Amino acid sequence: MTDDELMGLALAEATAAIDHGDVPVGAVILLDGKVIASRHDERERLGDPTACAELLAIRDATAHVGSRRLDGATIAVTIEPSVMCAGAILDAGMARVVFGIPDLSGGAVGSLYQVGADPRLGREFVTIHNVRAPECAALLTTYLAARD
């Protein structure tokens, strides 16, 4: 599966977040060529600041493989992961992070911080950015405009 195809799945997942008032963020995890988890933000719905798309997808993926480790996995996210989410991605041992648009106010894999490229953390992951960025940006912009 290509990064574009994977991001297409993340975009579809992000759209589902809008139905319950959450920011449209979607995450999909690919391991050994198979999608093993797909989630969207549920922070507002659940009243839980840790119910980010990335963390929910990681929980599902680790349950699927029966281990806290997701070595070699790729996660595709519509918006750049935060420090919290990037830390979980790093701790899970994922190999790649693919994201659509940067988060200039809190992005942790390129914008403000470089969690996946800091050798002091003992692990690193590859970061691919701007995958289907116009679509990711349009989804977020439309959502934010409707809230005003």
Side-chain angles (χ1 to χ4, degrees), residues 117-137:
D118 189 334
R120 297 172 297 177
L121 297 174
R123 289 185 208 119
E124 296 182 28
F125 52 73
V126 173
T127 302
I128 309 296
H129 56 87
N130 293 326
V131 175
R132 296 180 72 164
E135 293 165 82
C136 295

Side-chain angles (χ1 to χ4, degrees), residues 5-65:
E5 292 168 331
L6 199 58
M7 189 60 70
L9 297 175
L11 280 159
E13 193 65 44
T15 302
I18 297 169
D19 293 339
H20 48 76
D22 272 284
V23 176
V25 179
V28 178
I29 297 177
L30 184 74
L31 181 64
D32 297 328
K34 297 177 186 160
V35 173
I36 61 168
S38 180
R39 294 295 291 266
H40 58 269
D41 265 23
E42 296 188 37
R43 295 183 304 163
E44 297 301 325
R45 179 175 169 217
L46 298 176
D48 179 354
T50 69
C52 301
E54 300 95 311
L55 296 183
L56 295 173
I58 290 168
R59 290 174 189 156
D60 289 354
T62 56
H64 176 81
V65 300

Side-chain angles (χ1 to χ4, degrees), residues 1 7 18 20 49 59 70 82 89 91 96-97 101 103-104 108 111 115 122 139 146-147:
M1 179 171 281
M7 189 60 70
I18 297 169
H20 48 76
R59 290 174 189 156
L70 297 170
S82 68
I89 291 164
D91 193 49
R96 297 174 73 238
V97 173
I101 57 174
D103 179 353
L104 301 177
S111 292
V115 171
L139 184 60
R147 284 183 35 182

